[in-house]
Amino acid sequence: MNEWVLILGMMLVTFIPRFLPMAMADRFRIPAILRKALEFVPIAVLTAIIAQASLIHNGEFDLSFANAYLYGLVAAFVTALITKHMFKTIVVGLVVYAIAFVIISKI
Amino acid sequence: MQNKKTLFLLGLRDVIPLLIAAAPFGIVFGALAQANGLSVLATMGMSAFVFAGSSQFVAVTLIGVGAALPIIIVTVLIVNLRHMLYSISLMPRVGGLSLGLRTIMSFWLTDEAYATSSMKLQENPKMVNFHWHYLGAAVGMYINWQTCTGLGILLGQQIPDLTKWGLDIAMVVAFVGIVVPMLKNRAQWACATAAFFCALVTHDWPHQTGLLFSSLLAITVGVLLSKKTYLSTAPSGDADE
């Protein structure tokens, strides 16, 4: 397979969906109801990514106590609720994950 | 009104936590692409010209299992369709900008740049020159992604096991840090809850279509629950139509 043909193809199919709506922004008046819906886009998409990345591993549910992601996720969630601060959330989430990871791998 | 340079630098500063969170991803991508037989030049080229993290991962994984080119392209298209939602949500913000500017804004559209700038928009919905903040975040992401891909190519040759470490935890906690402060009312909480559980239920749908479906369902939940407040503000003359 030609690597550069692949890259060109990927470039087209990733760019076009990102570009078309923005390119047509002047031609469409966005109805108020859709505008309302768009406010929910970041919450919806990012939360869906969070759920799958932390609780699904190798195509399987991983809700066991041996899933270190679970501890990182809960710690990050609580920190974010209390502090509303992204950087503190990342630091606490990563530290708790690392501790959980080490403990779990030793059991 | 803040000037363009200040906003650009502000965007660059605001995206820094996400650059740290995305770094392991770029490194693992570089290493994985090498392990799955992509040349050094094509690995760098994919990051430079495609610039779509999850699509690049899917592509090199499929290369690893010997998938045919059309299959890879179609899968990449589907995986990256969520960016279309981002682009649609930016439509009200880019009207009046030049086509060149919109082209580069679309090419640089990523989860991270979008998240950074939509967080800024939540703080200040009436913000002027929004695109300069976005461009600052996007430039930071682009440079970071190229650097990390290169680093991954180098590290992957030293540490073959690198791709097996659970490095995507950084992305999980960063996104939590973005989403949770956005949750201020019942509709937003319901939207997040719906997205979370629906994404788990649909995880085995092919090519991450579950992600797209869950997002659309969660958005609908959010709109339905906020309908009353939405209708009560509409007669004030604030609505578009």
Side-chain angles (χ1 to χ4, degrees):
Chain A
M1 171 192 334
N2 189 321
E3 295 176 330
W4 293 98
V5 175
L6 173 71
I7 289 172
L8 184 70
M10 286 175 66
M11 189 176 156
L12 288 176
V13 297
T14 52
F15 178 72
I16 292 169
R18 295 194 262 198
F19 178 64
L20 276 184
M22 281 208 231
M24 298 190 300
D26 293 319
R27 267 182 260 171
F28 289 100
R29 203 89 179 96
I30 301 171
I33 183 90
L34 182 59
R35 210 173 267 252
K36 186 76 208 168
L38 296 177
E39 287 173 20
F40 289 97
V41 170
I43 295 174
V45 183
L46 297 176
T47 308
I49 295 175
I50 291 169
Q52 291 195 350
S54 55
L55 298 180
I56 309 288
H57 294 130
N58 302 319
E60 307 258 332
F61 265 114
D62 192 356
L63 267 172
S64 72
F65 288 109
N67 178 5
Y69 282 72
L70 204 57
Y71 303 95
L73 176 68
V74 172
F77 180 69
V78 173
T79 312
L81 270 184
I82 297 169
T83 66
K84 311 256 179 227
H85 194 282
M86 180 167 58
F87 201 71
K88 287 175 192 160
T89 304
I90 293 177
V91 171
V92 174
L94 287 183
V95 168
V96 170
Y97 169 82
I99 294 170
F101 184 84
V102 170
I103 293 175
I104 289 165
S105 61
K106 282 191 176 156
I107 293 173
Chain B
M1 181 167 49
Q2 287 164 297
N3 75 45
K4 297 166 183 174
K5 197 181 156 196
T6 315
L7 272 175
F8 182 88
L9 292 175
L10 203 63
L12 202 55
R13 192 201 67 186
D14 289 346
V15 82
I16 289 174
L18 283 168
L19 299 188
I20 299 167
F25 250 106
I27 294 172
V28 173
F29 168 74
L32 189 67
Q34 294 301 291
N36 287 2
L38 207 63
S39 72
V40 171
L41 207 61
T43 305
M44 289 306 297
M46 197 182 277
S47 282
F49 299 120
V50 179
F51 190 52
S54 44
S55 292
Q56 290 178 227
F57 263 96
V58 168
V60 295
T61 307
L62 289 176
I63 291 173
V65 298
L69 193 129
I71 307 265
I72 301 180
I73 304 271
V74 171
T75 309
V76 162
L77 169 71
I78 299 167
V79 167
N80 220 46
L81 270 184
R82 71 178 186 285
H83 284 173
M84 197 164 184
L85 285 180
Y86 295 158
S87 184
I88 295 171
S89 97
L90 290 176
M91 282 171 78
R93 297 284 161 181
V94 299
L97 298 182
S98 73
L99 197 65
L101 210 47
R102 289 184 214 183
T103 306
I104 195 74
M105 283 176 79
S106 329
F107 176 68
W108 277 340
L109 188 56
T110 55
D111 293 315
E112 288 83 359
Y114 177 78
T116 305
S117 291
S118 49
M119 196 158 57
K120 186 79 187 166
L121 277 176
Q122 288 240 337
E123 284 168 25
N124 179 11
K126 300 238 156 80
M127 124 184 231
V128 193
N129 277 331
F130 154 81
H131 60 285
W132 285 104
H133 183 272
Y134 172 89
L135 284 171
V139 165
M141 255 324 272
Y142 191 71
I143 296 171
N144 187 57
W145 189 247
Q146 310 313 320
T147 313
C148 293
T149 302
L151 210 60
I153 294 173
L154 293 176
L155 284 177
Q157 291 160 355
Q158 314 289 325
I159 320 166
D161 265 355
L162 190 72
T163 54
K164 296 189 184 75
W165 299 1
L167 293 173
D168 53 344
I169 183 68
M171 179 195 66
V172 171
V173 295
F175 285 178
V176 170
I178 288 170
V179 170
V180 173
M182 284 181 179
L183 305 177
K184 285 168 191 143
N185 59 42
R186 200 171 58 116
Q188 289 162 337
W189 276 99
C191 172
T193 311
F196 191 89
F197 288 104
C198 188
L200 292 181
V201 173
T202 60
H203 79 270
D204 54 356
W205 290 19
H207 311 319
Q208 298 184 23
T209 44
L211 211 56
L212 207 60
F213 174 80
S214 305
S215 304
L216 293 174
L217 182 94
I219 291 166
T220 311
V221 168
V223 172
L224 288 178
L225 282 178
S226 59
K227 208 173 177 192
K228 274 179 195 156
T229 45
Y230 159 70
L231 284 177
S232 65
T233 54
S236 68
D238 209 27
D240 268 311
E241 308 264 333

Coordinates of all heavy atoms in Angstrom, one line a residue, chain A residues 43-105:
Chain A
I43 N -20.0 19.2 26.2 CA -20.3 18.4 27.4 C -20.6 16.9 26.9 O -20.0 16.0 27.4 CB -21.5 18.9 28.1 CG1 -21.2 20.2 28.8 CG2 -22.0 17.9 29.2 CD1 -22.4 20.9 29.4
A44 N -21.4 16.8 25.8 CA -21.8 15.5 25.3 C -20.7 14.7 24.8 O -20.4 13.6 25.2 CB -22.9 15.6 24.3
V45 N -19.9 15.3 23.9 CA -18.8 14.5 23.2 C -17.7 14.2 24.2 O -17.2 13.0 24.2 CB -18.3 15.3 22.0 CG1 -17.2 14.4 21.3 CG2 -19.4 15.7 21.0
L46 N -17.3 15.2 24.9 CA -16.1 14.9 25.8 C -16.5 13.9 26.9 O -15.7 13.0 27.3 CB -15.6 16.2 26.5 CG -15.1 17.3 25.5 CD1 -14.7 18.6 26.2 CD2 -13.9 16.7 24.7
T47 N -17.7 14.0 27.4 CA -18.1 13.0 28.5 C -18.2 11.6 27.9 O -17.8 10.6 28.5 CB -19.5 13.4 29.1 OG1 -19.4 14.7 29.5 CG2 -19.8 12.5 30.3
A48 N -18.7 11.4 26.6 CA -18.7 10.1 26.0 C -17.3 9.6 25.8 O -17.1 8.4 26.1 CB -19.4 10.2 24.7
I49 N -16.4 10.4 25.5 CA -15.0 10.0 25.3 C -14.4 9.5 26.7 O -13.8 8.5 26.8 CB -14.1 11.1 24.7 CG1 -14.5 11.4 23.3 CG2 -12.6 10.7 24.7 CD1 -13.8 12.5 22.6
I50 N -14.7 10.3 27.7 CA -14.2 10.0 29.1 C -14.7 8.6 29.5 O -14.0 7.8 30.0 CB -14.8 11.0 30.1 CG1 -14.1 12.4 29.9 CG2 -14.5 10.5 31.6 CD1 -14.8 13.5 30.7
A51 N -16.0 8.4 29.3 CA -16.6 7.1 29.7 C -16.0 5.9 29.1 O -15.5 4.9 29.7 CB -18.1 7.1 29.4
Q52 N -15.8 6.0 27.7 CA -15.2 4.8 27.0 C -13.7 4.7 27.3 O -13.3 3.5 27.5 CB -15.4 5.0 25.5 CG -16.9 4.9 25.1 CD -17.1 4.7 23.6 OE1 -16.2 4.8 22.8 NE2 -18.4 4.4 23.2
A53 N -13.0 5.8 27.4 CA -11.6 5.7 27.6 C -11.2 5.1 29.0 O -10.2 4.5 29.2 CB -10.9 7.0 27.4
S54 N -12.1 5.4 30.0 CA -11.8 5.0 31.3 C -12.3 3.6 31.8 O -11.8 2.9 32.5 CB -12.2 6.0 32.4 OG -13.5 6.3 32.3
L55 N -13.5 3.3 31.2 CA -14.1 2.0 31.7 C -14.2 0.9 30.7 O -14.7 -0.2 31.0 CB -15.6 2.4 32.2 CG -15.6 3.3 33.4 CD1 -17.1 3.6 33.8 CD2 -14.8 2.8 34.6
I56 N -13.8 1.2 29.5 CA -13.7 0.1 28.4 C -12.3 -0.2 28.1 O -11.6 0.7 27.6 CB -14.5 0.5 27.2 CG1 -15.9 1.1 27.4 CG2 -14.5 -0.6 26.2 CD1 -16.9 0.1 27.9
H57 N -11.8 -1.4 28.3 CA -10.5 -1.7 27.9 C -10.5 -3.0 27.1 O -11.1 -4.0 27.5 CB -9.6 -1.8 29.2 CG -9.4 -0.5 29.8 ND1 -9.6 -0.3 31.2 CD2 -9.1 0.7 29.3 CE1 -9.4 1.0 31.5 NE2 -9.1 1.6 30.4
N58 N -9.8 -3.0 26.0 CA -9.7 -4.1 25.1 C -11.2 -4.6 24.7 O -11.4 -5.8 24.6 CB -8.9 -5.3 25.6 CG -7.5 -4.9 26.0 OD1 -6.9 -4.2 25.2 ND2 -7.0 -5.3 27.1
G59 N -12.1 -3.6 24.5 CA -13.4 -4.0 24.1 C -14.3 -4.5 25.2 O -15.4 -5.0 24.9
E60 N -13.9 -4.5 26.4 CA -14.7 -5.1 27.5 C -14.9 -4.1 28.6 O -14.1 -3.2 28.9 CB -13.9 -6.3 28.1 CG -13.5 -7.3 27.2 CD -14.4 -8.6 27.2 OE1 -14.9 -8.8 28.2 OE2 -14.5 -9.2 26.1
F61 N -16.0 -4.2 29.3 CA -16.3 -3.4 30.5 C -15.3 -3.7 31.5 O -14.9 -4.8 31.8 CB -17.7 -3.8 31.1 CG -18.8 -2.9 30.7 CD1 -19.8 -3.5 29.9 CD2 -18.8 -1.6 31.0 CE1 -20.8 -2.7 29.4 CE2 -19.9 -0.8 30.6 CZ -20.9 -1.4 29.8
D62 N -14.7 -2.7 32.2 CA -13.8 -2.9 33.3 C -14.2 -2.1 34.5 O -13.7 -1.1 34.7 CB -12.4 -2.6 32.8 CG -11.3 -3.1 33.8 OD1 -11.7 -3.7 34.8 OD2 -10.1 -3.0 33.5
L63 N -15.2 -2.7 35.2 CA -15.6 -2.0 36.4 C -15.0 -2.6 37.7 O -15.5 -2.4 38.8 CB -17.2 -2.1 36.5 CG -17.9 -0.9 35.9 CD1 -19.4 -1.2 35.8 CD2 -17.6 0.4 36.7
S64 N -14.0 -3.4 37.5 CA -13.4 -4.1 38.7 C -12.5 -3.1 39.5 O -12.1 -2.1 39.0 CB -12.5 -5.3 38.2 OG -11.4 -4.7 37.6
F65 N -12.2 -3.5 40.7 CA -11.4 -2.7 41.6 C -9.9 -2.7 41.0 O -9.1 -1.9 41.5 CB -11.4 -3.3 43.0 CG -12.7 -3.0 43.7 CD1 -13.6 -4.0 44.0 CD2 -13.0 -1.7 44.1 CE1 -14.8 -3.8 44.6 CE2 -14.2 -1.4 44.7 CZ -15.1 -2.5 45.0
A66 N -9.6 -3.6 40.1 CA -8.3 -3.6 39.5 C -8.1 -2.7 38.4 O -7.0 -2.6 37.8 CB -7.9 -5.0 39.1
N67 N -9.1 -1.9 38.1 CA -9.0 -0.9 37.0 C -8.5 0.4 37.6 O -9.3 1.2 38.2 CB -10.4 -0.7 36.3 CG -10.4 0.3 35.2 OD1 -9.3 0.9 34.9 ND2 -11.5 0.6 34.6
A68 N -7.3 0.7 37.4 CA -6.7 2.0 38.0 C -7.3 3.2 37.4 O -7.4 4.2 38.1 CB -5.2 2.0 37.7
Y69 N -7.9 3.2 36.2 CA -8.5 4.3 35.6 C -9.7 4.8 36.5 O -10.0 6.0 36.5 CB -9.1 4.0 34.2 CG -8.0 3.9 33.1 CD1 -7.1 2.9 33.1 CD2 -8.0 4.9 32.2 CE1 -6.1 2.9 32.1 CE2 -7.0 4.9 31.2 CZ -6.1 3.9 31.1 OH -5.2 3.8 30.2
L70 N -10.4 3.8 37.1 CA -11.5 4.1 37.9 C -11.2 5.1 39.0 O -11.9 6.0 39.3 CB -12.1 2.8 38.5 CG -13.5 2.7 38.9 CD1 -14.4 3.0 37.7 CD2 -13.8 1.3 39.4
Y71 N -10.0 4.8 39.7 CA -9.6 5.7 40.8 C -9.2 7.1 40.3 O -9.6 8.1 40.9 CB -8.5 5.0 41.6 CG -8.8 3.6 42.1 CD1 -8.5 2.5 41.3 CD2 -9.5 3.5 43.3 CE1 -8.8 1.2 41.7 CE2 -9.9 2.2 43.7 CZ -9.5 1.1 42.9 OH -9.9 -0.2 43.3
G72 N -8.5 7.1 39.2 CA -8.1 8.4 38.6 C -9.3 9.2 38.2 O -9.4 10.4 38.5
L73 N -10.3 8.5 37.6 CA -11.5 9.2 37.2 C -12.3 9.8 38.4 O -12.7 10.9 38.3 CB -12.4 8.2 36.4 CG -13.8 8.7 36.0 CD1 -13.7 9.7 34.9 CD2 -14.7 7.5 35.4
V74 N -12.5 8.9 39.4 CA -13.3 9.4 40.6 C -12.5 10.6 41.3 O -13.1 11.6 41.6 CB -13.5 8.3 41.6 CG1 -14.1 8.8 42.9 CG2 -14.4 7.2 40.9
A75 N -11.2 10.4 41.4 CA -10.4 11.5 42.0 C -10.5 12.8 41.2 O -10.7 13.9 41.8 CB -8.9 11.0 42.2
A76 N -10.4 12.7 39.9 CA -10.5 13.9 39.1 C -11.8 14.5 39.2 O -12.0 15.7 39.3 CB -10.1 13.5 37.6
F77 N -12.9 13.7 39.2 CA -14.2 14.2 39.2 C -14.5 15.0 40.5 O -15.0 16.1 40.5 CB -15.2 13.0 39.2 CG -16.7 13.4 39.2 CD1 -17.2 14.1 38.2 CD2 -17.4 13.1 40.3 CE1 -18.6 14.5 38.2 CE2 -18.8 13.5 40.4 CZ -19.3 14.1 39.3
V78 N -14.1 14.4 41.6 CA -14.2 15.1 42.9 C -13.4 16.4 43.0 O -13.9 17.4 43.4 CB -13.8 14.1 44.1 CG1 -13.9 14.8 45.4 CG2 -14.8 12.9 44.1
T79 N -12.2 16.3 42.5 CA -11.3 17.5 42.5 C -12.0 18.6 41.7 O -12.0 19.8 42.1 CB -9.9 17.2 42.0 OG1 -9.5 16.0 42.6 CG2 -9.0 18.3 42.2
A80 N -12.5 18.2 40.5 CA -13.1 19.2 39.6 C -14.3 19.8 40.2 O -14.6 21.0 40.1 CB -13.4 18.6 38.3
L81 N -15.1 19.0 40.9 CA -16.3 19.5 41.6 C -16.0 20.5 42.6 O -16.6 21.6 42.7 CB -17.1 18.4 42.3 CG -18.1 17.6 41.5 CD1 -18.8 16.6 42.4 CD2 -19.2 18.6 40.9
I82 N -14.9 20.2 43.4 CA -14.6 21.1 44.5 C -13.8 22.4 44.0 O -14.1 23.5 44.4 CB -13.7 20.3 45.6 CG1 -14.5 19.2 46.2 CG2 -13.2 21.3 46.7 CD1 -13.7 18.2 47.0
T83 N -12.8 22.1 43.2 CA -11.9 23.3 42.8 C -12.3 24.0 41.6 O -12.0 25.2 41.4 CB -10.5 22.8 42.6 OG1 -10.4 21.9 41.5 CG2 -10.0 22.0 43.8
K84 N -13.1 23.3 40.7 CA -13.4 23.9 39.3 C -12.1 24.3 38.6 O -12.1 25.3 37.8 CB -14.3 25.1 39.4 CG -15.5 24.9 40.3 CD -16.7 24.7 39.5 CE -17.9 24.4 40.4 NZ -18.7 23.3 39.9
H85 N -11.0 23.6 38.8 CA -9.8 24.0 38.3 C -9.2 22.9 37.5 O -8.9 21.8 38.0 CB -8.8 24.4 39.4 CG -7.6 25.2 39.0 ND1 -6.5 24.6 38.5 CD2 -7.3 26.5 39.1 CE1 -5.6 25.5 38.2 NE2 -6.1 26.7 38.5
M86 N -8.9 23.2 36.2 CA -8.5 22.1 35.3 C -7.1 21.5 35.7 O -6.9 20.3 35.7 CB -8.4 22.5 33.8 CG -8.0 21.4 32.9 SD -8.2 21.7 31.2 CE -7.4 23.2 30.9
F87 N -6.2 22.4 36.0 CA -4.8 21.9 36.2 C -4.7 21.0 37.5 O -4.1 20.0 37.5 CB -3.8 23.0 36.2 CG -2.4 22.5 36.0 CD1 -2.0 22.1 34.7 CD2 -1.5 22.5 37.0 CE1 -0.7 21.6 34.5 CE2 -0.2 22.0 36.8 CZ 0.2 21.6 35.5
K88 N -5.4 21.5 38.6 CA -5.5 20.7 39.8 C -6.1 19.4 39.6 O -5.7 18.4 40.1 CB -6.2 21.5 40.9 CG -5.4 22.7 41.5 CD -6.3 23.5 42.5 CE -5.6 24.8 42.8 NZ -6.5 25.8 43.3
T89 N -7.2 19.4 38.7 CA -7.9 18.2 38.4 C -6.9 17.1 37.7 O -6.9 16.0 38.1 CB -9.1 18.5 37.5 OG1 -9.9 19.4 38.1 CG2 -9.9 17.2 37.2
I90 N -6.1 17.6 36.8 CA -5.2 16.8 36.1 C -4.2 16.2 37.0 O -3.9 15.0 37.1 CB -4.5 17.5 34.9 CG1 -5.5 17.9 33.8 CG2 -3.4 16.7 34.3 CD1 -5.0 18.7 32.7
V91 N -3.6 17.1 37.9 CA -2.5 16.6 38.8 C -3.1 15.6 39.8 O -2.5 14.5 39.9 CB -1.9 17.8 39.6 CG1 -1.0 17.3 40.6 CG2 -1.2 18.7 38.6
V92 N -4.2 15.9 40.4 CA -4.8 14.9 41.4 C -5.2 13.6 40.7 O -4.8 12.5 41.2 CB -6.0 15.5 42.2 CG1 -6.6 14.5 43.1 CG2 -5.5 16.7 43.0
G93 N -5.8 13.7 39.6 CA -6.2 12.5 38.8 C -5.1 11.6 38.5 O -5.1 10.4 38.7
L94 N -4.0 12.2 38.0 CA -2.8 11.5 37.6 C -2.1 10.8 38.8 O -1.6 9.7 38.7 CB -1.8 12.4 36.8 CG -2.2 12.7 35.4 CD1 -1.2 13.5 34.7 CD2 -2.6 11.5 34.5
V95 N -2.0 11.6 39.9 CA -1.3 11.1 41.1 C -2.0 9.9 41.6 O -1.5 8.8 41.9 CB -1.1 12.2 42.1 CG1 -0.7 11.6 43.5 CG2 -0.1 13.2 41.7
V96 N -3.4 10.0 41.7 CA -4.2 8.9 42.3 C -4.1 7.7 41.3 O -4.0 6.6 41.8 CB -5.6 9.4 42.5 CG1 -6.5 8.2 42.8 CG2 -5.7 10.4 43.6
Y97 N -4.1 8.0 40.0 CA -4.0 6.9 39.1 C -2.7 6.1 39.3 O -2.6 4.9 39.3 CB -4.1 7.4 37.6 CG -3.7 6.4 36.6 CD1 -4.7 5.4 36.2 CD2 -2.5 6.3 36.0 CE1 -4.3 4.4 35.2 CE2 -2.1 5.4 35.1 CZ -3.0 4.4 34.7 OH -2.7 3.5 33.8
A98 N -1.6 6.9 39.4 CA -0.3 6.3 39.5 C -0.2 5.5 40.7 O 0.3 4.3 40.7 CB 0.8 7.4 39.5
I99 N -0.7 6.0 41.9 CA -0.7 5.2 43.1 C -1.5 3.9 43.0 O -1.0 2.8 43.3 CB -1.2 6.1 44.3 CG1 -0.3 7.3 44.6 CG2 -1.4 5.2 45.6 CD1 -0.8 8.3 45.5
A100 N -2.7 4.1 42.4 CA -3.5 2.9 42.2 C -2.9 1.9 41.3 O -2.9 0.7 41.6 CB -4.9 3.3 41.6
F101 N -2.2 2.4 40.2 CA -1.6 1.5 39.3 C -0.5 0.7 40.0 O -0.3 -0.5 39.7 CB -1.0 2.3 38.1 CG -0.4 1.6 37.0 CD1 -1.1 1.1 36.0 CD2 1.0 1.3 37.0 CE1 -0.6 0.3 35.0 CE2 1.6 0.6 36.0 CZ 0.8 0.1 35.0
V102 N 0.3 1.4 40.8 CA 1.4 0.7 41.5 C 0.9 -0.3 42.5 O 1.4 -1.5 42.5 CB 2.4 1.7 42.2 CG1 3.4 1.0 43.1 CG2 3.1 2.6 41.2
I103 N -0.1 0.1 43.3 CA -0.6 -0.9 44.3 C -1.3 -2.1 43.6 O -1.0 -3.2 44.0 CB -1.7 -0.2 45.2 CG1 -1.0 0.9 46.0 CG2 -2.4 -1.2 46.0 CD1 -1.9 1.8 46.8
I104 N -2.0 -1.8 42.5 CA -2.7 -2.9 41.9 C -1.7 -3.9 41.2 O -1.9 -5.1 41.3 CB -3.7 -2.4 40.8 CG1 -4.9 -1.7 41.5 CG2 -4.2 -3.5 39.9 CD1 -5.7 -0.9 40.5
S105 N -0.6 -3.4 40.7 CA 0.3 -4.3 40.0 C 1.1 -5.1 41.0 O 1.8 -6.1 40.7 CB 1.3 -3.5 39.1 OG 2.0 -2.5 39.9

